[in-house]
Amino acid sequence: MPVTLDALNVAPEPEFVAALGAIFEHAPWVAEAVAARRPFASVEALFSAMREAVLAAPEARRLALLRDHPELAGRSARAGTIAAESIAEQAAAGLDRLSEPEYARFAALNSAYREKFGFPFILCIKRHGRASLLRQFEARMSGDIARERETAEAEVFRIAAIRLDALVTGEGRFRTTGRLSTHVLDTVAGRPAAGVVIELAEIVGPDEAVTVARAETNADGRTDAPLIAGRPVPIAHYELRFHIGDYFRRAGLDLPEPAFLDLVPIRFGVAEPEGHYHVPLVAGPWSYQTYRGS
Amino acid sequence: MPVTLDALNVAPEPEFVAALGAIFEHAPWVAEAVAARRPFASVEALFSAMREAVLAAPEARRLALLRDHPELAGRSARAGTIAAESIAEQAAAGLDRLSEPEYARFAALNSAYREKFGFPFILCIKRHGRASLLRQFEARMSGDIARERETAEAEVFRIAAIRLDALVTGEGRFRTTGRLSTHVLDTVAGRPAAGVVIELAEIVGPDEAVTVARAETNADGRTDAPLIAGRPVPIAHYELRFHIGDYFRRAGLDLPEPAFLDLVPIRFGVAEPEGHYHVPLVAGPWSYQTYRGS
Amino acid sequence: MPVTLDALNVAPEPEFVAALGAIFEHAPWVAEAVAARRPFASVEALFSAMREAVLAAPEARRLALLRDHPELAGRSARAGTIAAESIAEQAAAGLDRLSEPEYARFAALNSAYREKFGFPFILCIKRHGRASLLRQFEARMSGDIARERETAEAEVFRIAAIRLDALVTGEGRFRTTGRLSTHVLDTVAGRPAAGVVIELAEIVGPDEAVTVARAETNADGRTDAPLIAGRPVPIAHYELRFHIGDYFRRAGLDLPEPAFLDLVPIRFGVAEPEGHYHVPLVAGPWSYQTYRGS
Amino acid sequence: MPVTLDALNVAPEPEFVAALGAIFEHAPWVAEAVAARRPFASVEALFSAMREAVLAAPEARRLALLRDHPELAGRSARAGTIAAESIAEQAAAGLDRLSEPEYARFAALNSAYREKFGFPFILCIKRHGRASLLRQFEARMSGDIARERETAEAEVFRIAAIRLDALVTGEGRFRTTGRLSTHVLDTVAGRPAAGVVIELAEIVGPDEAVTVARAETNADGRTDAPLIAGRPVPIAHYELRFHIGDYFRRAGLDLPEPAFLDLVPIRFGVAEPEGHYHVPLVAGPWSYQTYRGS
């Protein structure tokens, strides 16, 4: 449960370390290293201090930070011996629901990666859809060790930043979350389209899509909450599906059967997990437009 | 092979009947009945005469016209005992490639329909995609006999009209064909988008699509030929897929990875097989519009 | 200066009447009539009570309410003998800046109207642009007395509602204001267009337009404040003018000279002064779209 | 009246020279110089030969070609002592209808230009709107003599090319003409909008526009003929005005008064007089889009 920065700034050191000990996996020493530098003016300042503590640590500790990281879809996750945060993150990415062949593929990649680099494959999976995650895995297998260590450490920082952002509330929070939203305008009536059913699917393969959100537009033509918010928007291809034919039929328009526009799919890619993606639909029964809005 | 109306107008009667004897299935008497009314000023006038000949025929003959019609995906089609035109039409609708369960379903519907109405299910299949064909079959099962006879005869006329239109060339041809076309405009450069790969798929089920055409835009942003032309556009849901990401990357634009727009799907329904459907894509890397054009 | 509903609810009666005495022109008796019905739960309830007091008043008083209303662009306005609110309202509509011929035209219409109906022409001018105001004047000249009295009283209520809404703050304020806003999206870069100069003109005649607002888009592609807000949007034809050519040139795009799009005019009509009109521009250098948004 | 290339190829030399003697103003020697090079395979080849003859001529002749050119809006035009083609060209640009102050301005520019460069200001006025023409005049005043002679000669070639293109018909004509067209799509009905009144105005000053074409859309949503064709599209800012409110009212839509969209202006610039400008309007009563089409 969230804690305020103010509370952390005045907490006894053991409490501070207990609260932040899991921000870096198996590495409470990072929290210990910054306790004396309190108070912090912002969560961002706290995070910068922790980051500096890692960069200033002896080589062995920095390497251990990578070595001790849990594997993606690995045995530890299955056995439940990794941090609670890691379990939740991996579950959110669907890694706990892998089929046996997929599990085998991850296991093979994990072994090959660890053999080549000496530490497990580390990726901030909250920022990646399933297809992107595999693409990253394969791309990084071909890197050299020096660059890969840098990349892995950068991912460790990303993971830590998201955990810290979720845990500590306070002024000047830094941005680790993105947003995906939509709204629908009816160009026949010249007003927001209410009651349009919308599905958001992540495209995980050439012929495979997973529905990740479902909503209905309100009187303002928007969904009550963004389709994705309060977290990074995973790097992926998505498809928004608007049931616009049902909407116009309910509005009393005389549409042919089948209607020219019935289910309108808008397929788009997300490349900036921390970005704001507003993808509206401006539609009549015979035409529509979309764009990346703000 | 096509024959001219002029030639038909002056041909000896047996030749005239031989040429048009298969326009109505197993019913050369229709051609015989109009031979003496020659010359015809237009193919439309010829067709009207044949239609009137059917409507003026004794009840038994009109009913026989329905009774003798081949079943859709029926035994005769499999056994090759139906008119060559019927075989080609059924093949074009994919009815010769049915799976065993689908074949069984058609067989069951055929039996039930014939039992209820006393004649086989007749539909101008050139005007229907696979899903529409099944929807029609099921909808018509619930009709009453009088209305269903009317509907079946109207379909016989449609089939005959298309055959006549394909066979006879001449002034004043009547319209039994539709058209489906597209073109792509690049809103960044302000000119037609050349080299865009386009696929047209027929949506045959909730998760099933069959690619029916593939083309690339030319210097004018159009395909060299319409995607569908010279025949009715089957009543169906379609999806046009524009590989617009590849196009903009080739144009040298700096797109994120993944691009916001990569493959743009436009899903639309066709309700008028004899209509002209122009479905353009007006697109940049971050926005697009489509509409039913002309 | 604004007063709270809470304060009015507990004020001594003379103070209450002093505060609200000018809501209905020259008719403090309306405020007097409702003082005893306090407290009011909302400004809307207060207004309803005042409205009912008018409707329940003797015929002579109701007629006097119309008769005592100042003329539009009349002698009293020029002589400064009307309520301060009326002066401000007429000035906002440009009625204090009429040319001599226009003043003469108003004077003639005023005389003719008063002669026909026995009271001056009353219109809630905050809800009308100059062209609409004249159209209303001419249209209403041809009405019959009964209907015109009703119309005039309805306008008196509109004027009073806007005055009350501006004067009294409190929960449950009723809506007497509209809004006109815009924003600009750059479809080449896929983001809000910042620094676009925008002008809003009211079209007052076939070849005459008056600039009523000028703004520049901020980083979010919006203007810092709506172009019109906190008041009714006058019924009129408007033209928004977006200097989009300058924007794209500054963005480094290589545009021809003259550019295809340079100044983009969007002309639209406002029919609901209390409505929200959001009129965005979604534009690249070779294409644009607009719509009534929300 | 037009003559065919074939006829010119076999005509006696004096006839050939008589036919083409006025292609270059006061310079029948150009036609004489190429007569012996006949036959020409195309009008383009004929023009190239004439162009080469000019470039190969002695310095004095080339300079005379410029010196003998009539002034724009000059005394000769008024006195009728210039080639018939020049009179028509200048009249088309409105130069015969200048007001006295405008005439005076041209006269002053002409004098200043001739004094600086030793020959009159030469511009292919068919390619320029009035504002562009003045802009060109002012811009070229500041050039140096060498570059200005080149520019002037290039304009002489443009004038000659257009005259030749208009005079001689034959295979392989070269393109000296552009085209400006439009069409209107109704996004409520999903079909071309017929009967929409359209005006095309050339913007000649900040507050001055001249209507240059007026048309009504036909059943295909197009005008029966392009708005400009068979000639260069003058470099200028234009405004297309679509009376879309009237159209939707006639279509039975229930629009507010005033309608949100009534007269839709689309303002655009033409920079390539030989280009094809297709500027469609895709519109409903509450939204529209336009783009440079093809």
Side-chain angles (χ1 to χ4, degrees), chain D residues 76-127:
Chain D
S76 323
R78 293 210 151 187
T81 63
I82 60 170
E85 279 88 345
S86 282
I87 294 175
E89 287 161 8
Q90 297 203 9
L95 296 184
D96 59 338
R97 292 183 303 276
L98 295 181
S99 64
E100 276 307 312
E102 286 173 316
Y103 172 75
R105 179 147 183 234
F106 263 99
L109 278 166
N110 271 328
S111 295
Y113 184 96
R114 184 186 285 275
E115 183 159 341
K116 176 166 182 191
F117 297 112
F119 49 86
F121 176 70
I122 303 172
L123 182 74
C124 177
I125 52 182
K126 281 210 164 176
R127 301 177 74 252

Side-chain angles (χ1 to χ4, degrees), chain B residues 169-277:
Chain B
T169 61
E171 287 302 300
R173 298 177 69 206
F174 54 127
R175 184 157 133 194
T176 65
T177 62
R179 193 172 64 210
L180 175 56
S181 60
T182 186
H183 89 279
V184 188
L185 268 154
D186 168 347
T187 61
V188 172
R191 63 170 163 249
V196 178
V197 172
I198 298 171
E199 286 137 22
L200 174 70
E202 182 187 326
I203 309 298
V204 294
D207 287 310
E208 203 189 344
V210 175
T211 301
V212 294
R214 197 182 298 269
E216 201 175 307
T217 54
N218 55 28
D220 200 32
R222 299 171 193 274
T223 56
D224 289 337
L227 296 167
I228 295 181
R231 55 156 296 159
V233 184
I235 293 171
H237 288 280
Y238 293 90
E239 197 170 273
L240 272 167
R241 294 167 184 161
F242 300 85
H243 292 253
I244 203 76
D246 292 342
Y247 167 80
F248 281 118
R249 271 185 288 264
R250 273 199 314 273
L253 268 71
D254 185 28
L255 304 184
E257 178 53 40
F260 182 66
L261 298 181
D262 196 352
L263 183 151
V264 168
I266 294 182
R267 195 173 278 221
F268 62 96
V270 163
E272 311 163 55
E274 291 78 26
H276 286 188
Y277 285 82

Side-chain angles (χ1 to χ4, degrees), chain A residues 183 185 187 190-192 220 222 280 282 289 291-294, chain C residues 183 185 187 190-192 220 222 280 282 289 291-294:
Chain A
H183 88 280
L185 268 154
T187 60
R191 63 169 164 251
D220 199 32
R222 299 171 193 274
V282 181
Q289 201 206 28
Y291 51 84
R292 180 174 177 186
S294 63
Chain C
H183 89 281
L185 270 152
T187 61
R191 63 170 165 249
D220 200 31
R222 298 171 194 273
V282 181
Q289 202 206 27
Y291 50 85
R292 180 174 177 186
S294 62

Side-chain angles (χ1 to χ4, degrees), chain A residues 17-201:
Chain A
V17 173
L20 302 186
I23 294 297
F24 286 82
E25 191 100 11
H26 299 310
W29 59 265
V30 184
E32 282 159 17
V34 302
R37 293 180 57 186
R38 292 181 294 168
F40 295 103
S42 68
V43 182
E44 190 165 14
L46 165 57
F47 176 72
S48 289
M50 295 180 91
R51 194 171 174 280
E52 282 159 25
V54 170
L55 296 175
E59 162 67 11
R61 279 211 137 163
R62 286 176 70 180
L63 189 53
L65 200 59
L66 304 183
R67 284 207 175 123
D68 294 348
H69 219 274
E71 272 180 352
L72 285 187
R75 264 152 313 178
S76 323
R78 294 211 151 186
T81 63
I82 60 171
E85 280 87 347
S86 282
I87 293 174
E89 287 161 9
Q90 298 203 8
L95 296 184
D96 59 338
R97 291 183 305 275
L98 293 181
S99 64
E100 276 307 312
E102 287 175 315
Y103 172 74
R105 178 143 185 237
F106 263 99
L109 279 168
N110 270 329
S111 296
Y113 184 97
R114 184 186 285 276
E115 183 157 340
K116 175 165 183 191
F117 297 111
F119 48 86
F121 176 71
I122 302 170
L123 183 74
C124 177
I125 53 181
K126 281 208 163 177
R127 301 177 76 253
H128 296 271
R130 249 163 81 183
S132 172
L133 192 153
L134 268 171
R135 239 181 358 251
Q136 289 285 323
F137 213 153
E138 279 153 6
R140 282 171 51 188
M141 280 299 294
S142 61
D144 64 47
I145 291 199
R147 195 158 141 245
E148 188 54 22
R149 267 199 60 179
E150 226 171 277
T151 303
E153 203 168 66
E155 291 294 320
V156 165
F157 289 137
R158 280 180 164 145
I159 295 166
I162 290 172
R163 289 178 181 175
L164 195 68
D165 190 11
L167 184 69
V168 185
T169 62
E171 287 301 301
R173 298 177 68 206
F174 54 127
R175 183 156 135 196
T176 65
T177 63
R179 192 172 65 210
L180 175 56
S181 59
T182 186
H183 88 280
V184 187
L185 268 154
D186 169 347
T187 60
V188 172
R191 63 169 164 251
V196 178
V197 172
I198 298 172
E199 287 137 21
L200 174 70

